[in-house]
């Protein structure tokens, strides 16, 4: 019996791992699942947006989406699909050089964990028994379906192999991805050329929404997301099934960060203080230099904001609710001004008082879009004379976008 077992351990029979969703191979499931995850969660939040549900948890109003964003939803969907096509092509090409995951050697690898542990599993088992926790430990083994082994050292080695090692690989993958994205993202903001050429496209969304999470320049999406996630996957040593969880979890997190809702029962927003409310600050002109901390910093929870404190990218502005309230008020005033009829003195009459927008009106409508980022005066007049930051200046091709947006606002109101 011992000779047979030793022979099985030393000379295992390897077979290809059966596909998770036959007849689709696991490599293609790995490429498809993050896309399905992205649009499933995005459409959930889009449903909330379009049906005005959970409005008390929204960070911004629909008026702000129309008035402040410098890109249409159609363009966002187009660029997100383009990025997902590129990442699928890159993943499909790399899969040609990858082998199929094999199974059959798990017992040998568990044995290696036991030998390499240098007796650690025996010390753990003896400590549990000495503390009177042998019954509890057996119940844990039964729950994990690892009972039946008389040697507790073998059971502990199985726990390490089947549960602890995948968690460690996941943490390593997250650390690699977040470190890569931190410095790539920081470079995109510190270099004027990189920001203007690539990253400014993502910041056309001053009011983020869920399916705009991957709205990027195609090259930025390739470098920051596709290559960064691929490096985390490969360097961590995780298998295809582990990569499925890693990619889907990362996708859920980035969509949730851009969802535009502060939901008290959202598990991701409860687990991570770097949530939709925190990341929304980064999309505002007054918080654009703020960086979102890495997953690993939050998971460890020992030195929060470590990289941000060292490198000067931590948000120190406190509660941003007052700023968001002012922004909502300005967007509402701009909408009212755009819809109100012109008075004889060239001002738009709104809510019983005159709102002068940039000092004039054009084609029977008030041009309120340059004022949506401008602090309003207490008397209800919007002063549009401030200097606009470079991040806020719309590109020439966005002029027609703003005109069409004003037409949509007026059409909805009528």
């Amino acid at each position: 019996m011992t000779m047979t077992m030793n022979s099985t351990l030393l000379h295992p029979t390897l077979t290809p791992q059966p596909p998770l969703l036959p007849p689709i191979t696991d490599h293609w499931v790995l490429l498809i699942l993050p896309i399905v995850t992205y649009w499933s969660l995005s459409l959930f939040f889009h449903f909330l947006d379009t049906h005005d549900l959970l409005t008390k948890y929204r960070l911004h109003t629909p008026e702000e989406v129309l008035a402040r964003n410098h890109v249409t939803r159609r363009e966002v969907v187009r660029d997100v699909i383009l990025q997902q096509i590129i990442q699928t092509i890159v993943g499909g090409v790399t899969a040609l050089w990858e082998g199929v995951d094999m199974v059959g050697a798990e017992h040998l690898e568990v044995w290696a964990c036991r030998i390499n542990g240098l007796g650690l599993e025996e010390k753990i088992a003896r400590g549990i028994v000495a503390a009177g926790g042998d019954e509890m430990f057996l119940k844990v083994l039964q729950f994990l379906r690892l009972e039946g082994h008389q040697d507790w050292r073998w059971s502990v080695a199985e726990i390490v192999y089947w549960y602890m090692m995948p968690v460690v690989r996941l943490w390593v993958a997250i650390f690699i991805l977040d470190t890569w994205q931190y410095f790539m993202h920081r470079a995109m903001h510190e270099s004027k050329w990189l920001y203007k050429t690539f990253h400014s496209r993502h910041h056309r969304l001053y009011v983020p929404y869920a399916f705009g999470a991957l709205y990027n320049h195609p090259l930025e999406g390739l470098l920051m997301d596709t290559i960064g996630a691929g490096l985390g996957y490969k360097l961590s040593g995780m298998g295809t099934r582990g990569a499925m969880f890693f990619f889907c979890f990362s996708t859920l997190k980035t969509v949730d960060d851009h969802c535009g809702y502060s939901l008290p029962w959202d598990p991701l927003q409860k687990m991570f203080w770097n949530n939709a409310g925190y990341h929304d600050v980064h999309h505002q002109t007054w918080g654009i230099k703020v960086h979102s901390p890495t997953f690993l910093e939050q998971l460890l929870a020992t030195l929060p904001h470590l990289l941000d404190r060292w490198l000067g990218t931590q948000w120190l502005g406190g509660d941003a609710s007052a700023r968001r309230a002012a922004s909502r008020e300005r967007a509402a005033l701009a909408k009212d001004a755009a819809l109100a009829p012109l008075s004889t003195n060239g001002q738009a009459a709104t809510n019983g008082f005159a709102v002068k927008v940039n000092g004039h009106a054009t084609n029977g409508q008030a041009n309120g879009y340059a004022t949506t980022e401008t602090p309003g005066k207490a008397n209800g007049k919007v002063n549009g004379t401030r200097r606009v930051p470079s991040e806020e200046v719309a590109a020439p091709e966005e002029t027609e976008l703003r005109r069409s947006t004003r037409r949509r606002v007026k059409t909805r109101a009528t």
Side-chain angles (χ1 to χ4, degrees):
M1 180 70 179
T2 305
M3 293 181 61
T4 304
M5 184 175 182
N6 290 339
S7 177
T8 303
L9 285 173
L10 296 177
H11 304 285
T13 301
L14 299 179
T15 57
Q17 187 177 39
L20 185 65
L21 299 173
I24 307 174
T25 64
D26 280 359
H27 285 303
W28 283 107
V29 173
L30 177 63
L31 298 176
I32 295 172
L33 267 183
I35 298 176
V36 174
T37 301
Y38 185 92
W39 289 109
S40 297
L41 187 58
S42 295
L43 289 176
F44 167 74
F45 284 112
H46 183 64
F47 180 83
L48 298 182
D49 290 343
T50 55
H51 290 79
D52 291 330
L53 301 175
L54 302 179
T55 54
K56 68 178 181 179
Y57 299 116
R58 291 192 66 161
L59 298 174
H60 300 280
T61 62
E63 289 80 10
E64 290 180 274
V65 176
L66 289 173
R68 298 180 59 204
N69 285 343
H70 297 170
V71 61
T72 65
R73 292 181 183 269
R74 180 176 299 180
E75 290 172 316
V76 170
V77 171
R78 178 200 65 194
D79 285 6
V80 169
I81 292 177
L82 176 60
Q83 176 169 334
Q84 291 175 336
I85 290 174
I86 292 174
Q87 75 182 31
T88 302
I89 293 174
V90 172
V93 170
T94 56
L96 298 176
W97 284 272
E98 293 180 351
V100 180
D101 289 350
M102 307 296 286
V103 295
E106 290 80 6
H107 284 78
L108 180 60
E109 293 173 347
V110 171
W111 183 263
C113 287
R114 176 181 173 181
I115 297 301
N116 293 333
L118 299 176
L120 179 62
E121 68 280 353
E122 185 175 355
K123 295 178 182 178
I124 294 175
R126 287 180 178 177
I128 294 174
V129 173
D134 51 339
E135 293 184 2
M136 180 186 68
F137 186 61
L138 284 175
K139 290 180 180 179
V140 172
L141 293 179
Q142 291 172 0
F143 176 77
L144 299 177
R145 298 182 180 180
L146 297 177
E147 77 280 10
H149 296 290
Q150 298 298 322
D151 190 346
W152 282 29
R153 294 175 298 177
W154 181 269
S155 299
V156 173
E158 284 192 320
I159 294 175
V160 171
Y161 177 79
W162 290 109
Y163 299 97
M164 296 180 64
M165 289 179 61
V167 171
V168 171
R169 290 193 181 102
L170 177 63
W171 280 36
V172 171
I174 289 174
F175 174 79
I176 294 171
L177 172 60
D178 277 347
T179 302
W180 174 271
Q181 289 188 335
Y182 177 90
F183 289 104
M184 288 288 295
H185 188 201
R186 185 185 177 97
M188 291 284 182
H189 278 278
E190 292 191 344
S191 169
K192 293 182 178 179
W193 182 83
L194 287 176
Y195 183 87
K196 182 178 180 181
T197 307
F198 301 107
H199 194 54
S200 61
R201 178 176 299 196
H202 183 69
H203 281 280
R204 291 177 184 175
L205 290 174
Y206 285 93
V207 182
Y209 44 79
F211 62 83
L214 291 183
Y215 173 65
N216 300 307
H217 188 283
L219 184 58
E220 178 187 350
L222 174 65
L223 292 175
M224 189 175 296
D225 298 319
T226 304
I227 294 180
L231 287 173
Y233 164 37
K234 289 301 180 183
L235 296 179
S236 66
M238 63 173 51
T240 305
R241 301 282 174 87
M244 291 179 189
F245 182 86
F246 169 52
F247 289 166
C248 289
F249 177 78
S250 300
T251 301
L252 288 172
K253 185 67 170 67
T254 191
V255 172
D256 194 78
D257 285 348
H258 291 82
C259 70
Y261 288 83
S262 180
L263 301 174
W265 38 263
D266 186 329
L268 290 175
Q269 296 187 22
K270 297 293 285 186
M271 289 169 57
F272 303 104
W273 47 264
N274 167 28
N275 49 34
Y278 188 93
H279 188 73
D280 177 78
V281 171
H282 176 67
H283 277 261
Q284 311 308 311
T285 55
W286 38 269
I288 200 167
K289 297 298 183 182
V290 175
H291 169 72
S292 298
T294 64
F295 284 143
L296 191 65
E297 289 177 298
Q298 301 171 78
L299 289 171
L300 293 177
T302 54
L303 293 174
H305 299 284
L306 181 60
L307 285 176
D308 294 316
R309 286 178 179 176
W310 286 352
L311 302 177
T313 54
Q314 181 184 357
W315 168 247
L316 299 174
D319 187 7
S321 57
R323 293 175 182 264
R324 292 195 181 102
S327 176
R328 287 192 290 268
E329 183 179 355
R330 290 194 296 270
L333 287 174
K335 177 184 175 182
D336 292 342
L339 297 177
L342 287 178
S343 63
T344 56
N345 61 357
Q347 296 179 345
T350 307
N351 295 332
F353 55 85
V355 178
K356 180 182 290 185
V357 184
N358 285 352
H360 66 279
T362 305
N363 296 329
Q365 294 179 346
N367 180 13
Y369 290 87
T371 67
T372 57
E373 297 297 313
T374 308
K377 293 183 179 179
N379 61 3
K381 294 184 179 181
V382 180
N383 181 0
T385 60
R386 75 172 175 88
R387 183 178 180 182
V388 181
S390 59
E391 292 89 354
E392 250 181 89
V393 177
E397 62 269 17
E398 295 165 0
T399 304
E400 180 58 32
L401 167 63
R402 294 189 177 191
R403 290 176 183 152
S404 63
T405 303
R406 292 197 295 273
R407 288 196 293 268
R408 290 198 305 273
V409 171
K410 188 172 183 180
T411 302
R412 290 183 180 181
T414 57

